[in-house]
Amino acid sequence: MKKLLGIIFAAALFCGASGFLFASDASSAAYLEACKAFSRGEWESAELLLRKAVAYPQNNNADTNYMLITAEIYADDSIRALKDTEAFLHNYPGSIYTPRIQYMRGKLLYNTGDYEKAIIILSDFCHQYESSELYPSALFYIAESLYAGYKYDEAETLYERIITQYPQSDKVSASQFRMESIAQRSREEKLLYLLKQTGEEYLAAKEDYEKQLRLYNSEAINTTRERLVDSQRKNQELEEQIRDLENQIAELKAEQEARSDEEQAVIVAAKKEDVFTETSSTEEDLKLLKQKARLVQWMIDGGNQNDAK
């Protein structure tokens, strides 16, 4: 299936390229310049030139717009990329690029901090393209959006699913770190709760101790003396519990700080994917697009083979 998709993708690129032989000189020239910049990886220039190229009806197709969105993402122009992904999904619902564009849109929403919309778009992607190679990555960014919104229980469920159902995914390590982080957060919250409860109990015991002390000083009766000793012992026990809880919290925070750099490195690495896929086909897709750019240049320049190399 993957090989078949690659053949269809390559055929579509070739057909799109050959169509420009019959376009007007101006539209062909605009597209050629854009292809040159794209093939060299000059993303900001490619974005500007592709935007100029799609202004011509001959160039305004799914293939060229996909290249434009690609250049926008590589150029870190997320706002324009979001707008263009929305237009692409509306104008080319049946394109072979549609699943990837939908995924890219969801990830762009996540990158810009619009977590609620990212969850909606990526969830729709998962419902529609369950067999896609991008599926585990989409689950990961849904989980990351939930994590960013402090919905740790829901996020943890998805991280665990990635680890157990997609062990070959490059998001497994990041998911494992996130699950460990969630477990530590849960432990810290429990310790803080216990510290609060123990502190309140300590204050109540201290107040009772002071009350018994006043009674002892005023009446000096045996019963009061016994209560005073009990209150003092309870205070000491509570003080020890508080110190123990504070030490546990300090140790936990130190552990979190020690692993935070490593966790951040793993998370960043997991998010440093190409704009097409999270798998080895990423480089192949970009290679095909650049081949198309060189092919167009070769065909328009009259078949100079040196330019095609």
Side-chain angles (χ1 to χ4, degrees), residues 120-273:
I120 293 172
I121 296 297
L122 291 170
S123 295
D124 287 344
F125 172 87
C126 289
H127 287 309
Q128 295 178 56
Y129 308 106
E130 191 170 352
S131 61
S132 171
E133 60 187 353
L134 292 168
Y135 190 87
S137 296
L139 287 179
F140 177 77
Y141 286 109
I142 295 173
E144 286 289 275
S145 297
L146 291 168
Y147 184 91
Y150 306 103
K151 298 177 181 178
Y152 298 127
D153 291 342
E154 296 175 55
E156 185 177 22
T157 300
L158 292 180
Y159 290 131
E160 185 175 9
R161 184 178 174 189
I162 293 168
I163 294 168
T164 56
Q165 296 185 12
Y166 304 96
Q168 302 304 317
S169 171
D170 59 359
K171 298 295 183 283
V172 168
S173 295
S175 296
Q176 289 172 333
F177 269 94
R178 285 301 198 206
M179 287 190 67
E180 292 171 9
S181 178
I182 290 171
Q184 284 191 324
R185 286 177 184 274
S186 177
R187 183 183 168 199
E188 183 178 356
E189 287 176 1
K190 289 178 181 178
L191 288 173
L192 288 171
Y193 174 77
L194 287 173
L195 181 61
K196 179 185 176 185
Q197 294 295 103
T198 305
E200 291 174 353
E201 189 176 350
Y202 170 75
L203 290 174
K206 185 177 180 182
E207 183 178 349
D208 182 65
Y209 171 76
E210 292 172 351
K211 179 181 178 181
Q212 298 299 330
L213 184 61
R214 286 194 298 270
L215 286 173
Y216 177 78
N217 291 333
S218 62
E219 299 178 10
I221 58 177
N222 291 334
T223 303
T224 304
R225 184 186 300 112
E226 292 174 358
R227 290 178 179 175
L228 182 62
V229 172
D230 288 342
S231 296
Q232 188 175 20
R233 186 184 68 253
K234 186 175 183 180
N235 282 347
Q236 290 175 345
E237 291 175 352
L238 290 171
E239 285 177 352
E240 291 177 0
Q241 289 181 29
I242 289 173
R243 283 196 296 270
D244 181 58
L245 288 169
E246 287 177 339
N247 288 335
Q248 289 186 55
I249 292 172
E251 290 174 0
L252 182 60
K253 288 184 176 180
E255 183 181 346
Q256 289 176 335
E257 291 176 0
R259 70 187 295 277
S260 62
D261 290 341
E262 184 181 359
E263 178 181 357
Q264 188 63 25
V266 172
I267 297 298
V268 169
K271 294 176 182 178
K272 275 188 176 179
E273 76 247 3

